[in-house]
Amino acid sequence: MREKAASWCVAFVEVEEIDTINIYWAAILAMRRAVGGSNFATSPDRRETPERHRDPAAAIIRSDTKSASIAAASILARAKAATVASQGLHAQLQNAPE
């Protein structure tokens, strides 16, 4: 999927940021970081990407069943999160006392 994608980027928000700005704004921040880290000129559904996300967004119930780009983004994000979690667990196990 990554090799065939026109562009993709996964972004994270640190726990301290979530504690400071709340989970809703942290999700918005992560989306902004992901869009900023990608190299596409248009959004995945080929509409112009709003400058700094000024345009209102609409919630789409079960969006990954209705949009291929949202489903792909979900898969990429979950795969990256699993990789980061397993790396963290591996590091903890390496540093655990015997």
Side-chain angles (χ1 to χ4, degrees):
M1 182 181 335
R2 285 180 247 174
E3 293 80 21
K4 293 188 178 203
S7 181
W8 66 275
C9 180
V10 176
F12 290 92
V13 176
E14 298 296 330
V15 172
E16 296 79 18
E17 292 174 296
I18 296 169
D19 288 344
T20 301
I21 61 176
N22 80 38
I23 193 69
Y24 173 81
W25 289 110
I28 299 296
L29 179 58
M31 287 184 262
R32 287 180 177 163
R33 287 178 179 168
V35 170
S38 66
N39 63 4
F40 51 73
T42 58
S43 64
D45 61 5
R46 303 293 182 236
R47 291 179 294 157
E48 290 300 313
T49 302
E51 181 70 25
R52 297 200 179 278
H53 300 272
R54 287 182 290 190
D55 293 347
I60 303 171
I61 308 295
R62 300 185 48 84
S63 57
D64 56 343
T65 65
K66 298 175 183 174
S67 167
S69 59
I70 293 173
S74 178
I75 291 167
L76 289 170
R78 289 176 188 176
K80 184 64 174 179
T83 299
V84 169
S86 68
Q87 289 171 345
L89 180 59
H90 181 73
Q92 286 179 1
L93 291 174
Q94 283 185 324
N95 295 327
E98 294 194 32

